[in-house]
Amino acid sequence: MRILVCIKQVPNQDAKYAINADNNGIIYDDNTAYWINMYDEHAIEAALQIKESIANSSIDILSIGPKRVESAIRRSLEMGADYGYRLVYEGEVTLSPSIKSQMIAEFCEGREYDLIITGVMSEDMMSGQVGPMLAARLDIPSATAVMQFIINTENNSIWLERELDGGLRGSLELKLPVLITVQSGINRPRYPSFSNVMRAKKSEIIEVATSTHLHNLQYERLVDIPEPEVGRQGIKLTGSLSEKAQALWELLHGKSLI
Amino acid sequence: MSNDIMIVCEHKDKEFLPITKELFHCANLLAKHYKSKITLLMPTFVPLEIACPEYDLMVVDSPYLAEYTCEGWEQAALLGVEEVKPDIIIIAHSSTGYDYAPRLAAKLDGSCISSVSAIEIRDDKVFYRRSGLYGKLDLLYDAVKRPLVITVLPGAFPAYEPLGGEGICRNISADIKLKQTSKVEYSLLDIIDTELDYASVVVAAGRGIGKEENLDLIKDLASCFNRSAVAGSRIVCDKGWLPYSSQIGITGKKVSPPLYIACGISGSAQHIAGMKEAKMVVSINWDSEAAIHRYSDISVVEDLVKFIPEFIRKCEKT
């Protein structure tokens, strides 16, 4: 089984950031720590579990971005993936999911993946578009928010269960090749083993150029980063820890909530 | 550009789902600005006799549209696009919507903006707002390429009840084929009628509680209140610290208790949609920029591991 896992490197949730002069780009502090998008870690784990159960499986890891994303790819190799690819994009502007999915589709040409796995969305931008768009570009079926799956190699299909709204689950069977996006409840990502860490040190991450015509396509464009909407005009408690605790008690008591 | 709008409707037993009525409101805002037409696309398994004077209706029926499949709905939506030729396609950001909407955008090679929370008009131009960067910032987009597919965040717009009466309704019997999909089934998790539905005070734990042992703190805090219940964000349920029956959010439960206390919750749009009807919201999160603080009546910017024991001591003293 040939598996591709698409991962994104994201800045950690507490990263210091600034907004650029044009108010349409986010600039992160040089000291920012980046990690693998949490949902994509689950995608890697899902791929590793397939590799352990189906003989002759191999896992390719792909990420788009500048040199720094190689640390995320390296980490995936340490977890046990086989080959790492970086689709080179050095630009400052965040790429539209439409462009990213076309870059990956280009990469997939001739590689004949049976299964493509990615996270249900990125933690930072939360669009959830690249996966289904890539499947559409490759003209293969897809399923999002997958909570569990079973691959049937005899009839070349995958049975899977999706998370739906309000506590519903939906299951279906799809013919391979398929793209799935996984929800975080699907598994517990492993820590890299020592032997895989040593192996990954020697692995080369292959750089792949992306077509420049894709860089210049225009889809939706970020034009402004306005103040977030405020759902409630609340109060922020001040003072020492003890004073805040006292103030909260008094406020709740005043409303007969405690 | 005609700026014509097509809404793909989710419905049940000839009734529009609440989220679909929210799409009507969103579409009305756009149609008013562009002075454009709105068509409702309804994928169904039998022809429907319904009408709506405000909107054109297009019913696409096929036995293969009896239940949602990505493959079937994508074909139905593409057929609608071919007939209506809309510039803007509006879809719910539901578990069905986000499953096929990006595919539709890719097939049409158009723009796609997910989980839109507001439409903004500036200098006579339309922009689309959504939340980003872990919910800390809002992002405003211009749709350069058409057609544009947007998915609309549940709860972001008020519901609009369309008028009854005569209207144009076209039925198209479609030749939908499911070549790759089979064995479609739906099941309900056992989450109905838990104590969360009746609780006066919901104390919810998020990723910020750090480790499973700290759930005891959350339970101790809950025990300070009468008729209280403990709930969690999806991460906490995914980690297995709490069962999925206590998950708050779009994919879990929606609650509206008199008091909601969010502990270590960052406040993603998905979570907010599940608790924003609470009468009063208290958030405890050391990150002063966390989105949850914008949806709170009382914000406590403190480490919950230190704050909660302190608060419990105050409760015990009085």
Side-chain angles (χ1 to χ4, degrees):
Chain A
M1 173 131 317
R2 282 183 59 78
I3 307 165
L4 174 69
V5 182
C6 305
I7 66 168
K8 181 178 179 183
Q9 189 189 45
V10 295
N12 89 63
Q13 197 165 352
D14 314 321
K16 292 268 169 283
Y17 61 85
I19 293 167
N20 70 1
D22 292 338
N23 220 35
N24 61 2
I26 300 161
I27 303 159
Y28 293 99
D29 196 280
D30 285 341
N31 303 321
T32 297
Y34 290 88
W35 54 36
I36 301 175
N37 174 40
M38 175 186 82
Y39 300 100
D40 298 340
E41 272 201 335
H42 292 277
I44 299 163
E45 178 60 36
L48 293 171
Q49 290 181 11
I50 297 168
K51 196 185 160 183
E52 284 160 353
S53 62
I54 299 175
N56 299 322
S57 295
S58 74
I59 305 170
D60 288 354
I61 300 289
L62 174 155
S63 191
I64 304 174
K67 198 83 182 164
R68 67 166 161 76
V69 308
E70 291 193 359
S71 65
I73 301 171
R74 180 83 54 201
R75 167 89 184 183
S76 319
L77 298 176
E78 289 172 356
M79 286 172 74
D82 297 293
Y83 302 99
Y85 295 90
R86 175 168 74 94
L87 301 198
V88 178
Y89 174 72
E90 308 284 350
E92 286 297 313
V93 186
T94 304
L95 287 171
S96 158
S98 299
I99 297 174
K100 287 185 194 169
S101 58
Q102 287 177 74
M103 286 177 170
I104 306 171
E106 233 179 36
F107 171 86
C108 289
E109 219 166 282
R111 291 178 191 266
E112 315 248 309
Y113 290 111
D114 301 299
L115 184 63
I116 303 176
I117 315 178
T118 189
V120 66
M121 60 178 151
S122 63
E123 285 178 274
D124 58 343
M125 298 307 274
M126 303 181 289
S127 285
Q129 293 179 10
V130 174
M133 281 183 168
L134 171 60
R137 296 273 177 193
L138 296 173
D139 219 9
I140 62 173
S142 59
T144 53
V146 171
M147 293 296 277
Q148 56 169 319
F149 65 85
I150 301 165
I151 292 170
N152 184 337
T153 45
E154 274 167 33
N155 68 0
N156 213 28
S157 68
I158 181 171
W159 174 91
L160 56 88
E161 190 173 66
R162 296 185 59 223
E163 178 190 67
L164 308 180
D165 301 332
L168 264 171
R169 292 287 165 92
S171 63
L172 65 154
E173 193 174 279
L174 294 170
K175 280 194 191 133
L176 296 175
V178 164
L179 181 144
I180 59 172
T181 77
V182 297
Q183 246 311 351
S184 49
I186 191 168
N187 55 35
R188 308 270 163 87
R190 68 192 65 189
Y191 286 102
S193 68
F194 181 71
S195 59
N196 277 329
V197 171
M198 297 315 286
R199 185 184 58 87
K201 272 193 204 304
K202 285 178 255 162
S203 312
E204 186 197 353
I205 292 167
I206 303 149
E207 290 183 5
V208 181
T210 49
S211 302
T212 41
H213 81 270
L214 292 175
H215 298 193
N216 303 320
L217 292 178
Q218 289 254 327
Y219 290 90
E220 63 289 333
R221 186 166 51 104
L222 182 61
V223 292
D224 192 13
I225 301 177
E227 281 293 308
E229 284 167 339
V230 175
R232 294 175 191 233
Q233 286 291 352
I235 53 164
K236 190 178 275 187
L237 300 184
T238 54
S240 68
L241 185 75
S242 167
E243 285 163 350
K244 286 179 188 170
Q246 181 67 29
L248 180 60
W249 189 86
E250 281 168 14
L251 283 164
L252 296 181
H253 189 68
K255 294 198 180 287
S256 306
L257 290 164
I258 193 166
Chain B
M1 243 183 285
S2 68
N3 293 306
D4 279 351
I5 298 162
M6 182 176 96
I7 304 174
V8 189
C9 301
E10 290 186 45
H11 56 93
K12 201 180 177 199
D13 307 327
K14 291 192 180 187
E15 291 284 329
F16 297 116
L17 294 189
I19 174 66
T20 303
K21 293 178 183 172
E22 294 169 18
L23 303 186
F24 294 163
H25 184 98
C26 172
N28 288 346
L29 293 175
L30 291 167
K32 188 175 166 212
H33 175 80
Y34 287 126
K35 299 180 181 57
S36 58
K37 198 175 77 170
I38 299 174
T39 303
L40 310 186
L41 179 80
M42 300 187 55
T44 72
F45 68 105
V46 285
L48 281 183
E49 287 298 325
I50 60 169
C52 182
E54 289 163 274
Y55 307 123
D56 287 356
L57 264 163
M58 206 174 110
V59 177
V60 176
D61 72 88
S62 154
Y64 295 106
L65 293 173
E67 53 218 336
Y68 170 77
T69 62
C70 184
E71 200 181 353
W73 280 56
E74 180 184 316
Q75 289 172 57
L78 281 170
L79 187 72
V81 169
E82 208 174 286
E83 294 287 326
V84 180
K85 300 202 167 39
D87 277 315
I88 303 167
I89 301 151
I90 304 181
I91 294 171
H93 194 74
S94 60
S95 54
T96 57
Y98 63 66
D99 199 43
Y100 74 92
R103 294 185 63 105
L104 183 64
K107 293 265 175 180
L108 300 170
D109 198 29
S111 304
C112 190
I113 306 173
S114 303
S115 55
V116 169
S117 62
I119 302 287
E120 260 178 62
I121 298 170
R122 293 183 180 180
D123 301 330
D124 216 35
K125 277 202 73 175
V126 174
F127 298 95
Y128 301 84
R129 191 191 267 252
R130 66 184 301 272
S131 165
L133 198 73
Y134 300 95
K136 290 183 183 183
L137 293 174
D138 272 7
L139 307 169
L140 200 68
Y141 287 90
D142 175 17
V144 181
K145 184 118 195 262
R146 297 295 182 94
L148 162 69
V149 175
I150 63 170
T151 62
V152 172
L153 192 69
F157 294 91
Y160 176 77
E161 198 68 54
L163 305 171
E166 296 291 303
I168 303 166
C169 181
R170 281 176 65 194
N171 266 286
I172 299 180
S173 291
D175 183 22
I176 305 274
K177 288 194 176 72
L178 296 187
K179 288 182 189 159
Q180 292 138 336
T181 313
S182 59
K183 298 186 186 165
V184 180
E185 277 175 37
Y186 290 92
S187 57
L188 195 60
L189 287 182
D190 188 20
I191 66 159
I192 322 289
D193 267 6
T194 63
E195 58 177 2
L196 271 182
D197 296 298
Y198 308 104
S200 299
V201 180
V202 173
V203 183
R207 170 150 59 173
I209 69 164
K211 52 184 178 184
E212 189 170 9
E213 295 86 272
N214 287 338
L215 260 186
D216 290 340
L217 276 178
I218 307 301
K219 289 173 185 163
D220 291 346
L221 177 59
S223 64
C224 295
F225 299 89
N226 293 324
R227 292 184 62 192
S228 62
V230 170
S233 69
R234 77 155 308 126
I235 301 289
V236 166
C237 299
D238 282 343
K239 285 183 186 289
W241 297 350
L242 284 171
Y244 279 110
S245 56
S246 11
Q247 185 193 325
I248 303 294
I250 294 178
T251 50
K253 268 190 179 293
K254 279 187 186 168
V255 293
S256 49
L259 175 61
Y260 188 88
I261 307 180
C263 306
I265 286 177
S266 62
S268 70
Q270 280 74 4
H271 185 83
I272 300 294
M275 46 65 76
K276 69 176 186 182
E277 302 298 323
K279 309 292 173 296
M280 186 178 213
V281 178
V282 174
S283 59
I284 307 168
N285 190 321
W286 67 268
D287 183 358
S288 62
E289 287 176 21
I292 190 74
H293 291 305
R294 298 198 305 272
Y295 294 89
S296 303
D297 300 289
I298 303 172
S299 290
V300 181
V301 181
E302 282 290 348
D303 180 357
L304 61 91
V305 177
K306 294 198 186 96
F307 181 80
I308 292 176
E310 182 70 21
F311 180 76
I312 293 170
R313 275 194 288 277
K314 297 281 177 198
C315 295
E316 282 165 352
K317 262 190 218 159
T318 44

